[in-house]
Amino acid sequence: MNKYQLPSDSKLLQSDFVFGVATSSYQIEGGVAEGGRTPSIWDTFCKTPNKVDNGDNGDVACDHYHLWQQDIEMIQGLGVDAYRLSIAWPRIMPQDGVVNPEGLAFYEEIIDECHARGMKVYVTLYHWDLPQYLEDKGGWLNRETSYKFAEYARAVSAHFGNKIDVYTTLNEPFVSAFLGYRWGNHAPGIKGEREGFLASHHLMLAHGLAMPILRSNAPHSKHGVVFNASPAYPATSKDQGAADYSEAENYHWFMDPVLKGEYPQLVVERQLVNMPMILEGDLDIISAPVDYVGINYYSRDVMRYNENGDIEKVIQEGAEHTFIGWEVYPQGLTDLLVRLNERYDNIPPIYITENGAACDDHSVVNGQLNDEQRVRYFQSHLNAVDQAIKAGVRVDGYFAWSLMDNFEWAFGYCQRFGMVHVDYQTQQRTLKQSAITYRNTLLARAEENK
Ligand code: IFM
């Protein structure tokens, strides 16, 4: 396929719809001991035996710390409007209370380069790389960490102000809280029901505490937060309750406090013994208005009650899955967006801040890699966004995850989400067919909109 096909009346073809690509600091940068950076919880986790597949770590990753100039040039070559990246907290504040000018300078060069090349920058402050010195004091189980995050947000926004076009406080607080502190399969590897819910409240509090600081230091930028969300479907007509609960815990729990100023009753009732300490005023802080909501969508969940009455996921045998084992279900993206629009009165504009597929595309042959499953994935999910917009949802942008293959957390480097192939031996970048198709789509759109 030469370019992604969209109906001629699609809002996605208009020039004010933002197309971008996304990455995050620990997944691509490397340079973990350079520029004054100190360890994050992911450096520690990767060095703990049996936590990450193949013993992989982010020490070098895509070596973006050194190759960022060529990477930004490559991003511009894709014809995107914006680049979504994240800042590594331990580069900016390598020690408690200390701001590192070298860390700020690293990101400033990237931001300036993007602007010089006509791209906007969407910057996430927290994409999971908590400074280890804060974890040593309890990490997200310690309420104080929320205030440390506000200090960090102050340092970044005082320096960059409106230069960052769009600020994101947190990426996927569900993953930080539940994979990190409840189930233990992400850093810092803590397992405990109460811990998961406590960490989630402190993360949301951190978001809320940062919002007024960001607004005051960057009054012309946009400010918001990014959630991962999978719509849930009942396996049988008896399982609607299981699907409803799954959505409540997986994303209403994180979105409701921001957009409704309360936690969902379904979760509060079922998890009564695990409820965190919520101080008076916390929900007012967390529900400060946001300018947009970011949604990361990959797949759906089909849920049922098992014989013990517990809720469990049902694998859809026979359906198409990606290499990482996630079902390909584009209708879920339309359904999700419509459900969000119905659940939240006056929901702010939505950006799809991540969407993509991990495919088994390890080898480049004669400079080419035909990642046809990813091409189909992007095509069907762009259609799904178009359908949601036609159903009345306001979606203002779409960011492909990811620009290039990178460190996929507990899966290490064996899962490749990139539109660009990375040879980790040589750091050679090669555009896969999905990237070429994205580029052709965006260049054709620009031509049409001239
Ligand atoms: O790679 C991650 C990213 O860091 C956050 N969202 C999901 C992606 C794929 O797992």
Side-chain angles (χ1 to χ4, degrees):
M1 189 190 304
N2 180 33
K3 63 186 175 87
Y4 298 113
Q5 307 296 324
L6 288 160
S8 57
D9 63 347
S10 174
K11 183 186 165 192
L12 278 66
L13 293 173
Q14 293 169 12
S15 54
D16 57 350
F17 187 88
V18 180
F19 269 103
V21 287
T23 64
S24 89
S25 46
Y26 190 70
Q27 292 181 274
I28 65 165
E29 282 179 4
V32 290
E34 292 179 67
R37 180 188 181 279
T38 54
S40 78
I41 53 174
W42 271 96
D43 297 280
T44 310
F45 193 68
C46 290
K47 289 187 174 118
T48 314
N50 305 321
K51 295 295 183 190
V52 176
D53 284 0
N54 199 35
D56 289 342
N57 61 56
D59 285 2
V60 178
C62 307
D63 201 21
H64 177 75
Y65 189 73
H66 298 108
L67 301 177
W68 64 268
Q69 270 160 312
Q70 74 169 63
D71 288 340
I72 303 299
E73 190 180 342
M74 178 174 77
I75 298 171
Q76 183 197 22
L78 296 175
V80 296
D81 308 299
Y83 173 41
R84 174 175 182 250
L85 68 144
S86 81
I87 288 184
W89 186 347
R91 277 197 198 286
I92 304 300
M93 306 204 70
Q95 293 169 49
D96 202 354
V98 176
V99 178
N100 173 24
E102 224 185 317
L104 290 167
F106 171 63
Y107 294 106
E108 186 143 27
E109 284 196 284
I110 292 179
I111 293 167
D112 287 344
E113 188 68 25
C114 287
H115 285 158
R117 292 177 178 275
M119 296 180 289
K120 293 217 152 83
V121 286
Y122 286 51
V123 170
T124 303
L125 294 174
Y126 187 62
H127 199 126
W128 313 349
D129 37 7
L130 183 72
Q132 182 60 42
Y133 63 81
L134 290 178
E135 184 57 35
D136 294 341
K137 294 184 176 162
W140 290 110
L141 301 179
N142 181 354
R143 188 177 165 97
E144 197 48 32
T145 299
S146 312
Y147 293 86
K148 295 292 176 190
F149 178 77
E151 261 179 46
Y152 159 57
R154 187 183 303 285
V156 173
S157 58
H159 184 81
F160 292 112
N162 299 317
K163 195 184 248 202
I164 290 178
D165 301 282
V166 177
Y167 285 81
T168 298
T169 51
L170 312 175
N171 182 69
E172 302 183 359
F174 165 94
V175 175
S176 306
F178 286 178
L179 275 71
Y181 292 85
R182 187 178 179 192
W183 301 314
N185 38 353
H186 270 200
I190 290 171
K191 288 186 189 161
E193 292 295 304
R194 297 188 69 181
E195 286 77 359
F197 284 96
L198 186 60
S200 72
H201 182 62
H202 291 155
L203 278 151
M204 298 324 297
L205 181 64
H207 156 79
L209 290 168
M211 282 300 289
I213 297 169
L214 297 176
R215 283 209 187 283
S216 141
N217 284 340
H220 303 301
S221 307
K222 284 187 191 156
H223 304 284
V225 53
V226 167
F227 304 99
N228 56 304
S230 301
Y233 301 81
T236 72
S237 56
K238 294 197 191 103
D239 298 313
Q240 188 59 51
D244 291 345
Y245 185 75
S246 167
E247 291 197 341
E249 199 179 275
N250 291 343
Y251 64 93
H252 300 162
W253 175 255
F254 297 89
M255 293 181 78
D256 283 14
V258 176
L259 298 174
K260 291 172 139 207
E262 62 190 26
Y263 281 114
Q265 268 313 308
L266 271 183
V267 182
V268 174
E269 282 160 18
R270 197 179 169 98
Q271 297 288 350
L272 214 48
V273 292
N274 297 318
M275 280 300 99
M277 169 91 86
I278 300 168
L279 300 189
E280 205 181 327
D282 281 2
L283 284 160
D284 293 333
I285 293 171
I286 297 171
S287 59
V290 288
D291 300 323
Y292 72 92
V293 164
I295 294 295
N296 296 350
Y297 175 82
Y298 290 89
S299 188
R300 67 159 172 175
D301 291 327
V302 177
M303 306 302 298
R304 74 166 172 217
Y305 293 109
N306 66 17
E307 48 291 354
N308 305 323
D310 295 330
I311 293 170
E312 67 181 22
K313 202 170 160 172
V314 184
I315 304 298
Q316 295 305 288
E317 307 290 351
E320 183 181 0
H321 289 77
T322 57
F323 189 58
I324 203 169
W326 299 350
E327 185 190 353
V328 177
Y329 195 73
Q331 180 63 39
L333 179 52
T334 310
D335 293 348
L336 170 69
L337 292 168
V338 169
R339 287 180 198 183
L340 293 175
N341 211 36
E342 283 167 359
R343 181 172 181 84
Y344 301 109
D345 292 337
N346 301 318
I347 186 169
I350 293 173
Y351 291 115
I352 305 302
T353 32
E354 287 181 25
N355 179 233
C359 304
D360 185 15
D361 37 26
H362 285 69
S363 38
V364 175
V365 179
N366 297 330
Q368 292 181 345
L369 202 161
N370 185 11
D371 53 341
E372 70 81 31
Q373 186 185 38
R374 187 177 291 103
V375 171
R376 281 191 289 107
Y377 185 98
F378 282 133
Q379 173 68 70
S380 57
H381 287 77
L382 290 170
N383 285 343
V385 176
D386 185 53
Q387 288 302 314
I389 294 173
K390 288 186 172 136
V393 186
R394 177 158 169 203
V395 184
D396 283 1
Y398 176 94
F399 291 75
W401 184 270
S402 180
L403 164 67
M404 57 186 162
D405 296 335
N406 58 52
F407 175 75
E408 178 52 25
W409 306 112
F411 294 104
Y413 294 99
C414 73
Q415 294 295 341
R416 292 177 175 264
F417 272 94
M419 295 202 303
V420 173
H421 180 270
V422 176
D423 178 331
Y424 295 112
Q425 303 304 315
T426 62
Q427 292 298 345
Q428 173 78 35
R429 277 80 162 128
T430 306
L431 266 54
K432 302 178 192 175
Q433 188 56 39
S434 57
I436 295 169
T437 312
Y438 206 58
R439 180 193 67 194
N440 292 346
T441 313
L442 298 181
L443 296 183
R445 183 184 77 146
E447 200 54 42
E448 282 288 310
N449 288 324
K450 252 188 192 165

